[in-house]
């Protein structure tokens, strides 16, 4: 990158004291604000400002040359984007990928050719954008908020790095999302729709779908997956208003993978992969690159696609991580130890897919799953499922725990203990990893107590726990309720995630023939915190 690209006001370059990566993270943190309602009444919280910022950064023209794939939806956006990026990279293209949120390092949000952007490049592009904006802002055009800044930074990076294709995940919603300044994408996609962020997007599936369909553009083909009727008709209505085609991508037929596995685990990933295949194909056709990739046999997948799908990766989604603490001592521990199953599900529908995934893998590996009614097999490690859970206080824990518990018990997997912990990282600091309160005596655990109460109530089978609105979840919950839930009874609150992990390690160490299978879910931040802690 040229120096002209780097610093706009001559105050310094990356590496000088005030221009470091750490300093950039501090400045970025200063942009974090609580969300406001982004609806028609306030024009998406001054969404039009985004166009002002693009003008200030002189990105308008260059952005229109980016060959973008734009993806919205409630669940599966990140995974679908990761598959799409990997497919097109394996077809030989120079790719840019913008996703959210990040788990450990903000640079995860910006991938170039499948790799997180380097600290050096991030720092340089950050200050380029930051300095120009700082110089030009005024009362009418204030500094962009956190996600808006990140989206602008992504556009700057992709333009400057001259990517062949930019795959861009919507942050929240669609119509008024910061990424929706993309005027002429090559193709758009809407992943599985469900109930999330209702305080911002609306209370019905139709309203939510309408917001997401706000990314559709005239002349741009749109793809989606099978959706509940109400959501689908809203998508169709928007597509027909614009006179564009809306095609429904079928889930990937696993037989097309030549006996290989998708890079991302879980049944639901076949839905996401199907959408990624359709969008990639459409992108290749519309940019004139399909020749030589597709053969006459329309039933098979090009080998570049298979490579892309099987090599794709994304942290914190159905990820299995053996605790490194035990892998270094495995010879002395025998068959016991601790394995984390990480999935950042935080909506009712994703809790169901998360619980199905966990149950399946837990059962696959089970030589003995903890269940008092089953005989113990003393010759091998006993597998003991444990839950670590937290969710944001804007969420209804009942809507998350009920489907989790029901799906697991329906599949015959019973948590030996549920641990409720506060998140480690603070919401308003990028890259920080400190507890909100360092003295465990002072930590406010009232939210964790609420969650624990909900857990206990759910065990006791309170009626009216489950909201009938949640398609698919209700049926599973009812089936699960009929099962014996007494094995969910043990639960505990820990003042920090670190203390919970410490407890688990000691427990596994004492009982050498026990292997703890720890499902961590409810919050992607929590999952990121676990990854940070165990990899230290
Ligand atoms: N097709 C799907 N249907 C239901 N749940 C899904 C689907 N795909 C992914 N999930 C669940 O959603 C979680 C997040 O996946 P992913 O990051 O791909 O989606 P996302 O839409 O980007 O979500 P978020 O906005 O929460 O980051 C996964 O861990 C999984 O539990």
């Amino acid at each position: 990158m040229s120096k002209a690209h780097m610093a706009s006001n001559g105050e310094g370059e990356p590496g000088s004291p005030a221009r470091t990566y750490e300093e950039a993270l501090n400045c970025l943190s200063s942009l974090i604000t609580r969300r406001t309602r982004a609806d028609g009444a306030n024009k998406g919280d001054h969404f039009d400002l985004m166009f002002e910022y693009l003008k200030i950064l002189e990105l308008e023209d260059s952005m229109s040359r980016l060959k973008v794939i734009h993806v919205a939806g409630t669940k599966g956006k990140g995974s679908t984007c990761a598959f799409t990026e990997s497919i097109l990279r394996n077809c030989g293209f120079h790719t840019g990928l913008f996703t959210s949120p990040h788990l450990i390092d903000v640079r995860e949000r910006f991938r170039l050719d499948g790799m997180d952007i380097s600290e050096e490049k991030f720092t340089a592009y950050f200050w380029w954008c930051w300095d120009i904006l700082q110089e030009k802002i005024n009362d009418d055009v204030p500094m962009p908020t956190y996600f808006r800044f990140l989206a602008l930074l992504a556009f700057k990076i992709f333009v400057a790095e001259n990517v062949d294709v930019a795959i861009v995940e919507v942050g929240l919603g669609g119509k008024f999302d910061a990424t929706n300044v993309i005027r002429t994408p090559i193709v758009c996609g809407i992943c599985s729709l469900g109930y999330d962020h209702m305080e911002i997007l609306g209370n019905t599936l139709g309203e939510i779908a309408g917001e997401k369909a706000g990314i559709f553009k005239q002349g741009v083909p749109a793809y989606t997956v099978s959706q509940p009727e109400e959501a689908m008709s809203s998508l169709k209505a928007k597509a027909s208003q614009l006179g564009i085609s809306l095609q429904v991508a079928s889930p990937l037929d696993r037989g097309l993978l030549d006996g290989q596995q998708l890079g991302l685990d879980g049944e639901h990933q076949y839905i996401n992969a199907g959408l990624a295949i359709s969008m990639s194909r459409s992108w290749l056709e519309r940019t004139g690159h399909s020749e030589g990739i597709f053969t006459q046999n329309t039933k098979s997948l090009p080998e570049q696609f298979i490579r892309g799908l099987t090599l794709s990766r994304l942290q914190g989604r159905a990820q299995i991580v053996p605790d490194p603490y035990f892998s270094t001592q495995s010879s002395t521990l025998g068959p016991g130890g601790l394995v984390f199953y990480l999935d950042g599900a935080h909506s009712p529908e994703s809790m169901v897919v998360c619980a199905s995934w966990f149950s399946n893998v837990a059962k696959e590996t089970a030589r003995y799953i903890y269940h008092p009614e089953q005989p113990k097999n003393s010759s091998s490690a006993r597998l003991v499922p444990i839950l670590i859970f937290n969710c944001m206080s804007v969420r209804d824990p009942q809507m998350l725990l009920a489907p989790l518990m029901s799906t697991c018990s329906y599949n015959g997997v019973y948590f030996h203990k549920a641990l409720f912990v506060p998140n480690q990282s603070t919401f308003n600091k990028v890259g920080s990893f400190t507890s909100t309160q360092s003295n465990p005596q002072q930590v406010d655990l009232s939210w964790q107590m609420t969650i624990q109460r909900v857990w206990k109530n759910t065990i006791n089978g309170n009626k009216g726990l489950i909201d009938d609105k949640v398609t698919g979840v209700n049926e599973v919950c009812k089936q699960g309720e009929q099962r014996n839930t007494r094995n969910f009874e043990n639960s505990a609150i820990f003042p920090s995630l670190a203390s919970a992990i410490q407890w688990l390690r000691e427990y596994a160490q004492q009982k050498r023939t026990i292997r703890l299978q720890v499902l961590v879910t409810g919050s992607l931040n929590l999952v990121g915190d676990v990854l940070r802690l165990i990899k230290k």
Side-chain angles (χ1 to χ4, degrees):
M1 186 171 30
S2 72
K3 287 211 170 137
H5 264 115
M6 288 182 173
S8 66
N9 61 3
E11 276 185 17
E13 290 177 9
S16 68
R19 313 265 91 185
T20 61
Y21 180 63
E22 282 307 315
E23 185 62 21
L25 297 189
N26 285 336
C27 288
L28 193 53
S29 300
S30 73
L31 301 179
I32 298 176
T33 53
R34 296 246 178 224
R35 277 177 193 146
T36 55
R37 191 178 163 85
D39 61 11
N42 62 7
K43 291 217 176 62
D45 202 15
H46 306 289
F47 170 71
D48 285 346
L49 279 174
M50 277 302 289
F51 294 104
E52 294 296 323
Y53 299 133
L54 287 179
K55 222 180 276 170
I56 292 173
L57 294 169
E58 295 180 8
L59 282 174
E60 280 175 311
D61 285 350
S62 43
M63 248 196 71
S64 64
R65 287 192 292 275
L66 279 177
K67 296 192 166 52
V68 175
I69 297 182
H70 199 191
V71 182
T74 309
K75 281 297 129 204
K77 299 183 294 295
S79 309
T80 303
C81 287
F83 282 132
T84 310
E85 184 281 329
S86 186
I87 290 173
L88 292 175
R89 177 161 38 87
N90 278 279
C91 288
F93 295 97
H94 177 30
T95 59
L97 171 66
F98 176 56
T99 56
S100 59
H102 64 270
L103 295 188
I104 301 177
D105 189 315
V106 71
R107 294 177 297 114
E108 290 161 32
R109 294 174 185 247
F110 310 86
R111 286 199 209 167
L112 293 169
D113 295 326
M115 306 289 286
D116 297 349
I117 190 169
S118 67
E119 258 187 38
E120 193 194 10
K121 278 189 179 178
F122 178 92
T123 310
Y125 289 124
F126 177 90
W127 290 117
W128 187 90
C129 292
W130 181 267
D131 290 340
I132 296 179
L133 288 164
Q134 281 283 319
E135 202 179 308
K136 301 276 173 61
I137 52 169
N138 55 49
D139 288 349
D140 295 330
V141 184
M143 270 309 266
T145 48
Y146 176 62
F147 186 73
R148 288 180 176 179
F149 185 90
L150 292 176
L152 293 164
L153 183 56
F155 297 137
K156 172 64 194 170
I157 292 170
F158 296 157
V159 163
E161 292 289 321
N162 216 1
V163 296
D164 297 323
V165 54
I167 297 110
V168 177
E169 176 187 342
V170 162
L172 198 164
K175 189 173 175 188
F176 293 122
D177 185 70
T179 61
N180 207 25
V181 287
I182 299 164
R183 289 179 197 258
T184 49
I186 302 295
V187 52
C188 293
I190 307 274
C191 304
S192 299
L193 293 171
Y195 292 96
D196 201 9
H197 302 299
M198 283 133 85
E199 73 289 0
I200 298 170
L201 301 176
N203 289 319
T204 67
L205 266 188
E207 279 173 355
I208 293 170
E211 282 291 319
K212 311 268 179 189
I215 68 165
F216 290 173
K217 306 284 172 348
Q218 224 157 26
V220 179
Y223 290 83
T224 189
V225 297
S226 168
Q227 306 281 7
E229 183 58 37
E230 188 187 349
M232 189 62 94
S233 48
S234 182
L235 295 182
K236 281 185 182 159
K238 181 69 187 178
S240 92
Q241 255 172 34
L242 292 168
I244 58 170
S245 73
L246 173 69
Q247 312 232 18
V248 181
S250 310
L252 168 65
D253 170 357
R254 68 188 65 227
L256 296 178
L257 287 178
D258 284 351
Q260 300 179 65
Q261 300 284 324
L262 281 177
L264 305 176
D265 209 2
E267 281 304 302
H268 53 291
Q269 292 298 358
Y270 288 87
I271 300 175
N272 301 331
L275 180 59
I277 291 168
S278 294
M279 291 194 300
S280 302
R281 180 186 270 268
S282 173
W283 186 89
L284 288 165
E285 285 166 358
R286 284 177 49 83
T287 56
H289 290 107
S290 57
E291 211 175 306
I293 293 182
F294 296 102
T295 59
Q296 294 301 319
N297 181 357
T298 50
K299 292 237 164 83
S300 71
L301 271 184
E303 46 115 1
Q304 299 94 322
F305 276 47
I306 296 178
R307 245 194 343 263
L309 290 163
T310 55
L311 295 176
S312 168
R313 63 177 179 84
L314 192 62
Q315 290 197 99
R317 279 73 166 184
Q319 184 184 7
I320 302 176
V321 187
D323 186 0
Y325 177 80
F326 285 101
S327 46
T328 52
Q329 312 185 21
S330 55
S331 55
T332 52
L333 271 168
L338 177 52
V339 180
F340 290 97
Y341 295 76
L342 307 169
D343 191 80
H346 53 253
S347 72
E349 294 85 357
S350 57
M351 275 296 157
V352 172
V353 302
C354 163
S356 307
W357 161 74
F358 176 69
S359 311
N360 284 336
V361 288
K363 281 202 296 198
E364 260 169 41
T365 42
R367 280 170 283 180
Y368 173 74
I369 292 180
Y370 181 85
H371 190 310
E373 282 155 26
Q374 286 180 6
K376 288 182 189 174
N377 173 358
S378 54
S379 63
S380 56
R382 187 154 63 91
L383 298 177
V384 178
I386 304 262
L387 173 69
I388 297 188
F389 182 91
N390 191 31
C391 63
M392 284 165 65
S393 55
V394 289
R395 301 193 184 276
D396 179 351
Q398 194 172 288
M399 296 287 285
L400 304 181
L401 291 174
L404 172 68
M405 187 187 286
S406 302
T407 309
C408 283
S409 80
Y410 181 65
N411 287 307
V413 170
Y414 300 87
F415 291 107
H416 178 56
K417 204 171 181 76
L419 314 182
F420 303 111
V421 295
N423 282 13
Q424 194 91 1
S425 45
T426 55
F427 97 96
N428 60 350
K429 190 107 174 67
V430 184
S432 87
F433 190 49
T434 45
S435 251
T436 26
Q437 283 143 318
S438 48
N439 181 353
Q441 306 291 325
Q442 294 168 5
V443 179
D444 177 4
L445 295 171
S446 49
W447 177 238
Q448 282 63 43
M449 287 175 193
T450 304
I451 297 176
Q452 188 183 40
R453 235 184 343 265
V454 170
W455 178 257
K456 287 180 173 168
N457 285 343
T458 310
I459 289 165
N460 294 334
N462 276 5
K463 296 302 160 206
L465 274 180
I466 303 139
D467 191 332
D468 280 335
K469 274 190 306 194
V470 184
T471 330
V473 174
N474 193 31
E475 193 42 40
V476 174
C477 288
K478 280 186 181 143
Q479 290 162 343
E481 267 176 21
Q482 287 157 15
R483 309 260 166 156
N484 181 358
T485 50
R486 69 195 157 91
N487 302 307
F488 289 119
E489 273 162 20
N490 288 330
S491 65
I493 294 173
F494 279 82
S496 70
L497 180 60
S499 60
I501 291 178
Q502 180 63 23
W503 181 83
L504 288 168
R505 283 175 173 166
E506 284 168 11
Y507 185 63
Q509 221 155 7
Q510 276 166 19
K511 316 233 170 199
R512 288 163 153 245
T513 53
I514 273 186
R515 174 161 297 194
L516 301 180
Q517 296 181 301
V518 183
L519 172 65
V520 182
T521 192
S523 148
L524 264 169
N525 280 341
L526 180 69
V527 164
D529 290 345
V530 169
L531 281 171
R532 269 191 257 222
L533 265 174
I534 63 175
K535 287 184 176 168
K536 259 186 175 176

